[in-house]
Each structure stands twice: as C-alpha cells, then as structure tokens.
Amino acid sequence: MCGIIGYIGSRSCPELIYQGLEKLEYRGYDSAGIAVISSGQITTVKAAGKLARLRPFMGGLPAAAHIGMGHTRWATHGEPSDENAHPHGEAGASVIHNGIIENYKELKLELIAQGVSFKSETDTEVILHLLLAELQKGTSVHMALLKLLPQLQGAFSLGIMNRDEPEALYLVKQGSPLVIGCGKDETFFASDPLPLIPYCQHFLFLEDGEFARITRAGAEVWNFAGVQQEKPAVTMDWDSAAAEKNGFNHYMLKEIHEQPQMFSSTISRHLDLHTNSLILDHLGLDKIDLAQVKRLHFVACGSAYYAALVGKYLMETLPQFPCDVELASEFRYREPFIGPDTLVIAVSQSGETADTLASVKYARAKGCQTLALCNVKFSSIPRECHSAFYMEAGPEIGVASTKAFTSMLLNLYIFSLGLARLRHTLSAEALAQHLSQLKLLPPLAAQALAQDKNIATYALQFLHETHCLFIGRGFSYAIALEGALKLKEISYIHGEGYAGGELKHGPIALIEKSLAVIAVVPRDKLYDKMLANIEEIRARKGRIIAITSGNDPHLAQTCEAVLSCPAIDNPCLQAVLSSMILQQFAYYVALHRGTDVDQPRNLAKSVTVE
Ligand code: F6R
C-alpha cells in the first residue's frame, strides 16, 4: 500500500520518477506527488487521484533536477486530497512514507502543544515536524533520525530529503518494504524492484530497524541504534518487458493470457520431461527438517488463502499430512496449536502482505519451521521464512490476481507431489500418472483461453446483475470463492462463494427468479451432488450459469448458460482450468461495465498494512 521511489545521480529525474510511479501505481492510486531539489530549493508537485492527474503539474518541476523522490498513495489517514498527498514538506525538508504511524495522535498532540500547525490529516506529517524540530536546532539528519525513530510505532518506509544536504537522500525501513538499487554513479530506492529494473541489476534490501544514507556513489546503512551494517548486494535479472502490457489493453488480460506459457515453464522447471520424473531441487525443502514435521499449517490472505484451501486438499491426499489453512489476519491473533512439529507455509504473491508476514514471525516465535510460497523474490516473507519456494510467475501488475492464483495451485500441486515422493505415500506408477497429466495442462489452458469470445458474449448479458452466488464442491469450492472475489473486486457486482452443500443451510433463502447462481460443475466425483444442488435452484426458479468440463448436454439443457472448460481427469488441474474461465468472465463483465479493470476502486496490490 503506497509506492515510494527516489533517485540521485546525474540524470534529469522528474520524468524518471514519474515513470517509476507508473510502475508502482498498482500499490495505491489515491494521489501522487514528486519532490526534487535543484539550486538549493525543494520543489514539490502533487495531486489527488490517479497518477495521470499529476501530469499537468510536471512542468512545475525543474527538469535539471537530479535528486528527487515520488509517492503514490493508498489512503489510510486522511481522505485522498491534494493536502494529504505526499511528499509532505516545508521549505527545509520533505518526507514520503509507506505504512502507518500507530501512535501519531499522541505525537501530533504534543507537537500542537509546542505550537506546530499541521497542513494535512496524515499520520506522516508528524514525522516531518519531528524531523524539522531537530534540523532547526542544527542537528544532522543522521542524528535526528537516531532521536526520532525510537518515538515512532507502527510500519514505516520513509524517504527523506533535506535542502541543506542536497547530494544525499535518507531512507528508513520498519515493517514496510524498501529496496535500494545500485547503478553506475547513480542510486535509486523504491518500494519494490519493479520500477528499477530498467536501470539496475544490483539491489540492497534493507531489514526492519535499519536506515540508510544514499548518494550517487552508493549507500551506507545503520541500525536504529546507530551501528553501521554491512549489506551484501543481490543481483536480479528480471526482464523489464515482462512488466509491460505488450499490446493487451489491460495487465489483467495480458496476465490471463500468459498462463499457458507460465504453466509450461513451471512444469519444465520441476519435471524431467525425458524421464518423467520430479525434480525436487527448487521446492525449498533443503532447509526444512522434514523428519520433524508432523503437520502443515497454511497462512495466507485473499486469493492466496483460496489457493491454500486447494493446498489443504492436496496435502491431505498426496503426502498425507494433517493440514490446516487459515487467514493470516486470524492466525496472528489466535493461540493456534502449533509448535516445532508444524511446518507453517505462507502463501503470498507479493511476499509483502502485512498479516502473512506477521504470521510467519509469530510462527517462528512458536518454534515452527516456516516456508514461503511466493512470487516476488527477496521480498519480506521469503526473507523472514526458514526457506522459500518461488513460483516464478513473473510480475503480476493487475490488482486482481489471475496468473499468480493459478500458479499457486500448480506449484502447490507440484510441492505436494514432491512431499509425497519423499514420504513414500504415492506409488511410482501413481506419481508417473500425475506427472503425465501435468504435461497436459499448457495446451488445455490455451484451449480455455480460446473460449474468450463465448465468455465475452455471455458477459454482456450479465452486466446489470447486482448480486449473485458462486457454488462448487471439493476443489471447485475454492474456485467458487475465488470466482466470486474476482467478479466483485473488478466489476463491483456482489458475488458470494459457497460450498454446494451449504446452500440449504441459509443461502437458498436468496434464490428467486432474478438471482443468478454460477455453479462450478466439473465431471468429478461430486458431479451428481452438484446436479442435485442445481435442481434445487431450478425448483426455486433461480438462474444457473454452469462452468462445465467438456461438453455437457444435460447442463446445456437445464442452465441459462454454459461456459465450457476443457476437461481433465485431475481435480487440481481441472480447478486451474475452471478458474481461468471465471477470470475471463470477471474480466469481460468488468470491461463491459466500464470499470477500471487494472486498478479497481479502494484496492491496492500489495497490502503492507493490516
Ligand atoms: C485478489 C487479490 C488479493 C490478494 C491478497 C494477498 O485478486 O489479489 O486478495 O490475493 O491481498 O496478496 P498476496 O498474495 O500478495 O499475499
């Protein structure tokens, strides 16, 4: 939530920072702003609304400036307005912030009692005034930070600019992400490496409780006690084209279409195609003492939680581990029955979700082993876990998760097969059969995408719905939950996911002739149970849209619409394919309704505050 970026070097920086903010906008888009230093002056432009609203003000920044920083906001304290937009600054200094200062009210009252007046409603402005109070006494930024940082509670990644030190920027990391990018005679910082990929390959990841001074020559890092820290640089060779739209109208559509290729490369990383055997090297198990593990506990949020629900079914049937799955926001505040015999698996695309990160810390404190299933390398969650298993799905920029969700399903499947092999819970023949089925996924996924015209056409009939139900059983239950989330977050149509068996326990009261029920009905062992649910809905005149596997003449006759999905006799892979149909359905409904598909209202891609 909120994206921050900064630059110091010899390039003209206003446009560079603006373009970096474009790459960070998925983290928040309530307002944006940029501050630069030039000729001993700090100049700031900011505007409420999406980044494009800042464009007309860019001419107000001196083009020659070669030191600056920018911010794109997801509002926590104070409505999205020009005043509340970052950077916050007086003539002498400027601050950008990602996170929440939990004790800002006390600090603000103290500052007001000392005669300070505030221009914004943000928590961030207290940091500015605490800093200015020190600078006015002649204290250096370094010494001021050592004094003020212990006063702040909460999460805060900060960028700080001081007019009297125009060849340096200061950065602080506590709880929210921050990375420094090292170029040749130029240094960058940002909330994540994505906007820096065109400029540098070497990165320094600050840890919580550290602050840094960057100049064009590089970075010096200290902890909050003032002790200098050694930071090894890590090299990342991401392809910057992977973060572009590449001819698609939306990132979401591009990411939906990347799935067949993504599945192929995932499968070839974990499968020796010649010998049809599993490669165990990339599963992150090398640092896990499997002999100690008696049970598994997934923690995750949102779509990642739904993927973990599928993970539970897999872990119980394939490696036969007792397995729990829990929302990270609940787990971290409970007293779960976990200990050294529990492997806690944190599932997260971004690797930065605050509740999931806090859950990992909590699990470690309880003596559990921890493993991250993440997409973004070197992000906070994998760095906090004992071990990491990377999904390698490539950058996901659309705020609604698509390819990362199906990548989680596929990687959880592969992971469960790996565990089953190590625990000898699958015969060699059964394992070989799973692996052979895996190879069928990429072409079937391409067939699922070929349904897009039918789906787009049906979506036109769905435009004016106000609410609907999604139902499924078994693996399709998680897919129904995910389908409902996808539809509501980008089209703003209210959708609720239910297990088919739960209909009679309440939601059936909603069924009447105007209610649409989207039923995920693959031909699996629960097919007949789903048909019974469909009959119950029909008997009450509800409308049914079925997501089937292959041709299903019976459903074609009984349902208002059938969105057909390629069939595969494997519940997890079928779930991947059904999910792709529902992603396209949500996309086309949202597109026809004219909502902002890639940046839906009120959301941010990376939820770094709780
Ligand atoms: C929904 C969506 C969110 C995320 C959730 C967790 O489309 O994207 O529900 O799944 O915020 O995010 P990560 O996986 O980054 O921890």
Side-chain angles (χ1 to χ4, degrees), residues 166-177:
E167 292 300 327
L169 291 168
Y170 285 83
L171 316 175
V172 178
K173 165 151 169 51
Q174 177 63 43
S176 302

Side-chain angles (χ1 to χ4, degrees), residues 87-224:
H88 292 282
E90 303 275 324
S94 185
V95 176
I96 52 176
H97 170 211
N98 170 21
I100 292 180
I101 305 301
E102 287 166 0
N103 59 335
Y104 87 100
K105 276 198 183 126
E106 298 96 280
L107 295 169
K108 188 168 178 174
L109 287 175
E110 279 171 35
L111 286 161
I112 290 172
Q114 290 162 22
V116 173
S117 57
F118 280 75
K119 291 195 173 137
S120 76
E121 301 157 291
T122 63
D123 51 340
T124 308
E125 203 183 335
V126 298
I127 306 172
L128 174 74
H129 292 298
L130 289 171
L131 177 70
L132 287 172
E134 292 302 318
L135 296 182
Q136 277 151 15
K137 289 185 227 160
T139 315
S140 66
V141 178
H142 183 106
M143 295 311 287
L145 287 176
L146 286 175
K147 188 158 176 202
L148 75 86
L149 292 175
Q151 299 176 55
L152 304 179
Q153 290 165 16
F156 43 92
S157 281
L158 306 174
I160 295 169
M161 188 184 261
N162 175 17
R163 187 190 51 193
D164 296 334
E165 210 178 333
E167 292 300 327
L169 291 168
Y170 285 83
L171 316 175
V172 178
K173 165 151 169 51
Q174 177 63 43
S176 302
L178 192 64
V179 59
I180 297 171
C182 310
K184 195 166 176 297
D185 204 27
E186 57 186 357
T187 309
F188 304 75
F189 72 86
S191 298
D192 65 48
L194 208 57
L196 309 186
I197 286 166
Y199 309 106
C200 41
Q201 290 190 318
H202 303 297
F203 298 92
L204 302 176
F205 287 87
L206 294 188
E207 299 297 335
D208 286 348
E210 291 182 340
F211 70 99
R213 176 179 186 270
I214 61 168
T215 62
R216 59 170 64 197
E220 289 175 284
V221 180
W222 299 268
N223 66 16
F224 286 4

Side-chain angles (χ1 to χ4, degrees), residues 384-449:
E384 190 66 36
C385 283
H386 293 97
S387 192
F389 168 24
Y390 286 110
M391 293 153 53
E392 311 257 4
E396 187 179 70
I397 314 259
V399 164
S401 185
T402 52
K403 66 173 181 172
F405 175 73
T406 54
S407 173
M408 284 169 189
L409 300 187
L410 179 58
N411 281 291
L412 284 167
Y413 183 32
I414 292 169
F415 186 71
S416 67
L417 291 173
L419 287 179
R421 206 189 99 181
L422 292 168
R423 281 165 65 84
H424 309 290
T425 51
L426 264 188
S427 67
E429 298 72 43
L431 180 59
Q433 198 186 345
H434 281 281
L435 299 184
S436 300
Q437 285 182 323
L438 266 179
K439 288 185 247 173
L440 302 176
L441 181 64
L444 291 177
Q447 284 177 31
L449 293 181

